[in-house]
Structure formats: structure tokens, C-alpha cells
Amino acid sequence: MKFSMILSFFCFITISFHLTQSTTLQISQFGGKPNGNIAQDFFVITTISSMICHFHILKALKSAWTQACASTSAVKIVIPKGNYQMTHVLLKGPCKAPIELYVDGIIKAPVKPQDVGGNEILRFDYVNALTMSGNGVFDGQGSYAWTQSDCSKTFNCKFLGMNLAFNFLNNSIIRGITSKDSKQFHINVLGCNNFTFDGFKVTAPHDSANTDGIHIGRSKVVNVLNTDIGTGDDCVSLGDGSKQVLVQNVKCGPGHGISVGSLGKYTNEEPVDGITIKDCSLKGTQNGVRIKTWPSEPGAITITNMRFEDLTMDNVSNPVIIDQEYCPWNQCTKKYPSKIKISKVTIKNIKGTSATKEGVILSCSSGVPCEGVEISNVDLKFNGSPTIAVCSNVKPKITGTAPTCTAPSTKKQ
């Protein structure tokens, strides 16, 4: 007990200390040290004291952020190499000047989902001019959570928590960071404007359920560039309200591909406009580029100005697909067609190999057929032979080398 009290006091004093009038803040100045450094000073440590120092980076990071956010000049917060434990941290603005969070360490979440409470390891709200950079890793330690979850069987599974969330950020960039083994979505971007991922990395096994790499919603001018994503769900998923999004030079696989949607499930969704996916490569994914909307659901927004171009597929199932009868795990009916109107879709310069005979599937809504779809230069092979295009409720304009549309089979898919 005596050692416990001494250790707790030591942690408190270290966290409370901070350096004033500095443009660079080391996390160690606030008590944020890699696991084991403090413990080495003691021969006996109780369980309670061990937990206090295990998670001391939480308080240290919040203290550093508070000082940085109050600064009238730019501040850099540094988390150096080492292993750190951290539960949920919310870093909130608005702040008075730009802030860079430079992470070189490995930051690990608790193994059990209940210890995170369905929250993110790290979340930013209402910040302008944030930079997060470095070679650091945010490790969600999700393997235990995946075995406890029903997310591979149901759409409405219990939310387990994400690695990183960016809510209502402007003019910000995330560069060089890795997200590893998130319990559920890796990254969520909500309500952001002029936001960029560059040289980012996402890694998780192919069977990690519902672990979308980067999910974007209700955000404008978002760029996902030079990024490598391998996960158990969509590499990039674009939710409602996504506008002027560029996904370029992204490597995707394993995963479910790069998807717009699913959309139409709810009445309060916002239109999707101006999505460009180009110069990307997909390997061994369940889908390539995809638009998915729910049938028999109330949502009635529009999806327009989509560009899928200069893409390479390597043994990809459904390389190009519009699916307006999206109904996973039979959680809906197909009695009524989707109300989502899709228009102005360009599919251009798609090459490589398909794991299925149908290289292009355009399954549009019978209630609001797709309009303004253009297909040009699609060269996909299945077992050495050209793939086919299967189209319904759409009359695409086809130019260059591309398969001619055929009607879907009456066989139930």
C-alpha cells in the first residue's frame, strides 16, 4: 500500500509538470513515458498503481494538448518511440494556432472492448489546422473483440470502438501514421472540410469483421492519397454527405473494396456528389469499386458525379459494381426498389483480372434507373478470357474497348 501511494503521487506530480513558452512539447514533460520506465524505479507495484502508470499517457496527452491549444503560436507535441497504453482520449478545439501531433511510438488500446467503452483510442473535435505525422502505430488490439462480436452476421451489431476519429476538422492532414487491428472501423471522418490522408496505412486480417479502413461522412474536400489499406471490410467507405472526395494511389487488399454507401437506410441522409477514385490497385478483394444502396428503405437522396478511372484489379470479385439491391444477411426485403437516384458515373481505364465472369455489374433501381453512365476501355480477364458486363435499369454509353451490356440471369443470385 505504501509503494502504491508513493507511485500514485509520483505519477500525479509528473503529469502536472509542464514547460511554458515552448513550441515543442515532449510528452515526457507531462509524465507520458513508455511502459516500464516508471516501474523500474520500484521493486513492488500493486495492481492499482500499475494501472495508473500504464494509462498515464492519457492524462499526459490531454495536459499537453491543453497547453498547445491555448498557445497563440504553432505547437508540436511529440510522442517518441516506445510502447504506450491509452484508453479513450478526446482532444478538443477550437485552438488558437496550428498544432502538430508527432507520433513515433506504438499506442495500444485495452484488449477488452468494455475497457474502451465503445469509444475511439483518440478523437479530435472542432480543430483547425491539425497535422498528425510520424511513423507511429495506433494498435486497437482487436483480435479478442472480433471473436466476441456478431458483426460478421448482422448489420446492427454492438459498436466496439475505433482507433481514430476526426470530427469537424478543417484544413488538416494525417501523414505517415499506421492504424492496426482496430476493434471496429479504423478511422471515422465526420463533418470535416479540406482534410487529407497522405502516406497513411491500415492493417488488419481479412476476417476482422466490420473494420472499414477509412470511413468518410458528411465531409467536403477530403483526399486519401498514397495509402496502403488491408482490412476485413471496405478499404475506403463513403457515407452520406460525402462531397468532392479524391481517393488516389491507394493499394487495397485484403478487404471488400472501395465503396460508396451503403445508402438509403435512413431518411435524414444527405446527397453524395463528386467522388473520384483513380490510380488505385485492388488485390484479392471481395469487390473493386462499388456503389451500394438498400431496397425497400426510406432514403431518397442522389448520388452523382462519380469517376472510377485508371484502376488495376488483381483477382478481384465484382471489379466494378453498382448494387441497388444491397441487402446483407437478408436483413431487408426487395419488395420495393431503392429510391436512391444514381447519375453521371464514369467508368474508365479499368484493367487486370477478375475472380468472377462478371467484370462489370450495373444493377440499378427499377424505380429510379441510373442515368448518364459512361463505360470506356475496360479490359478485365477471367480465367484468361474477357469478362462480361451485366446491366439492368441502365443504358450506359460505351466507348473504346469494353464489354457490351447483357441482361442479368433470371437465376437467383
Side-chain angles (χ1 to χ4, degrees):
M1 183 65 181
K2 183 177 179 181
F3 285 109
S4 173
M5 293 175 63
I6 294 172
L7 185 56
S8 298
F9 178 75
F10 179 82
C11 288
F12 173 78
I13 293 297
T14 309
I15 291 166
S16 298
F17 174 79
H18 58 80
L19 184 66
T20 59
Q21 297 181 342
S22 173
T23 56
T24 299
L25 302 176
Q26 299 287 340
I27 198 72
S28 59
Q29 297 167 208
F30 301 84
K33 297 182 180 181
N35 289 349
N37 285 13
I38 294 178
Q40 289 172 3
D41 295 334
F42 297 88
F43 293 102
V44 180
I45 301 176
T46 67
T47 301
I48 295 175
S49 296
S50 178
M51 287 182 65
I52 290 171
C53 282
H54 248 205
F55 296 115
H56 64 79
I57 190 176
L58 181 155
K59 293 183 179 180
L61 182 55
K62 290 183 73 172
S63 297
W65 180 265
T66 298
Q67 181 173 322
C69 195
S71 173
T72 56
S73 60
V75 175
K76 182 176 183 178
I77 301 171
V78 177
I79 302 177
K81 291 182 179 179
N83 292 304
Y84 303 85
Q85 297 284 339
M86 191 168 79
T87 54
H88 168 65
V89 172
L90 169 60
L91 302 180
K92 198 170 183 179
C95 298
K96 295 181 179 180
I99 298 177
E100 178 179 4
L101 176 61
Y102 185 86
V103 182
D104 255 354
I106 299 173
I107 299 176
K108 295 185 177 182
V111 170
K112 294 183 178 180
Q114 58 266 33
D115 293 335
V116 188
N119 292 310
E120 313 82 3
I121 301 177
L122 180 59
R123 171 177 152 189
F124 296 90
D125 281 6
Y126 302 102
V127 181
N128 184 52
L130 170 75
T131 298
M132 187 160 74
S133 63
N135 301 303
V137 177
F138 287 84
D139 185 353
Q141 301 202 89
S143 57
Y144 172 83
W146 304 328
T147 64
Q148 307 299 308
S149 168
D150 57 357
C151 289
S152 62
K153 301 176 182 178
T154 177
F155 180 77
N156 295 312
C157 63
K158 183 178 179 180
F159 197 76
L160 302 175
M162 299 180 290
N163 278 1
L164 296 166
F166 305 97
N167 298 337
F168 310 105
L169 270 62
N170 298 319
N171 309 312
S172 298
I173 184 167
I174 312 301
R175 182 188 294 114
I177 299 295
T178 294
S179 175
K180 180 178 184 290
D181 292 345
S182 183
K183 291 176 174 58
Q184 209 155 328
F185 285 19
H186 283 260
I187 313 296
N188 190 57
V189 177
L190 174 66
C192 294
N193 183 44
N194 192 21
F195 192 91
T196 296
F197 294 91
D198 189 5
F200 194 71
K201 186 175 182 180
V202 174
T203 176
H206 70 91
D207 57 352
S208 54
N210 210 23
T211 54
D212 290 40
I214 298 175
H215 179 74
I216 300 166
R218 304 200 177 190
S219 298
K220 185 177 181 181
V221 190
V222 178
N223 305 300
V224 181
L225 311 174
N226 312 311
T227 291
D228 191 346
I229 303 176
T231 190
D233 210 296
D234 293 330
C235 291
V236 179
S237 57
L238 301 160
D240 75 290
S242 297
K243 297 180 179 179
Q244 299 179 43
V245 176
L246 172 63
V247 179
Q248 185 170 20
N249 194 27
V250 168
K251 294 180 180 179
C252 171
H256 293 182
I258 301 174
S259 296
V260 178
S262 58
L263 296 168
K265 189 77 172 174
Y266 308 104
T267 57
N268 62 343
E269 293 177 352
E270 297 180 3
V272 174
D273 188 354
I275 309 299
T276 298
I277 301 169
K278 65 181 298 184
D279 301 320
C280 297
S281 60
L282 299 97
K283 183 175 182 179
T285 53
Q286 288 189 11
N287 302 280
V289 285
R290 173 173 58 158
I291 301 174
K292 48 181 176 174
T293 74
W294 293 79
S296 300
E297 297 292 350
I301 61 170
T302 58
I303 300 173
T304 190
N305 294 313
M306 306 286 108
R307 298 190 66 87
F308 307 141
E309 58 185 36
D310 302 321
L311 306 177
T312 301
M313 309 288 174
D314 183 353
N315 194 36
V316 170
S317 302
N318 309 316
V320 179
I321 179 170
I322 295 176
D323 182 5
Q324 295 208 257
E325 293 189 339
Y326 178 73
C327 187
W329 310 294
N330 295 317
Q331 292 195 357
C332 63
T333 71
K334 299 182 181 180
K335 184 176 180 180
Y336 302 105
S338 172
K339 298 178 182 178
I340 306 294
K341 177 69 175 184
I342 298 175
S343 64
K344 298 181 181 178
V345 180
T346 299
I347 301 163
K348 182 180 179 182
N349 298 338
I350 315 294
K351 65 181 181 179
T353 57
S354 173
T356 55
K357 186 178 181 181
E358 298 81 9
V360 177
I361 298 174
L362 306 180
S363 179
C364 295
S365 171
S366 60
V368 279
C370 298
E371 293 183 350
V373 178
E374 299 184 4
I375 303 175
S376 176
N377 297 329
V378 173
D379 183 13
L380 293 166
K381 298 291 194 301
F382 170 66
N383 290 340
S385 300
T387 58
I388 64 172
V390 178
C391 309
S392 58
N393 304 307
V394 60
K395 296 179 180 179
K397 178 182 178 181
I398 299 176
T399 60
T401 303
T404 302
C405 271
T406 60
S409 170
T410 56
K411 181 181 177 182
K412 186 177 180 180
Q413 297 183 356

